[in-house]
Amino acid sequence: MANPRNDRIRHRYLDYLRHTAGYSEKTIDAIMSAISDYERYTGYRDFRRIHPELVKAYKRHLLDRP
């Protein structure tokens, strides 16, 4: 189940990517897809509770995928 706090953070980040950083929609779609994958991996854990060990585990997960 999606985390409403993450939705707010994601919305602000999306606004930043579009209007401040000037990324293309194709690039933004790829970034949002990666963020969604990370959320699924963490069980929709609050972004504010991210810690280095969780990020390292996710990176290992990505490397182990076929």
Side-chain angles (χ1 to χ4, degrees), residues 14 17-18 22-31:
L14 184 60
L17 293 173
R18 276 197 182 112
Y23 285 107
S24 71
E25 286 301 314
K26 186 175 180 179
T27 299
I28 291 170
D29 288 345
I31 292 168

Side-chain angles (χ1 to χ4, degrees), residues 1-3 6 35-47 49 54 58:
M1 175 181 225
N3 184 322
N6 289 354
I35 290 171
S36 293
D37 185 60
Y38 176 79
E39 278 190 291
R40 280 189 298 277
Y41 174 79
T42 64
Y44 299 93
R45 175 180 256 178
D46 192 328
F47 286 153
R49 298 189 66 214
L54 183 58
Y58 178 65

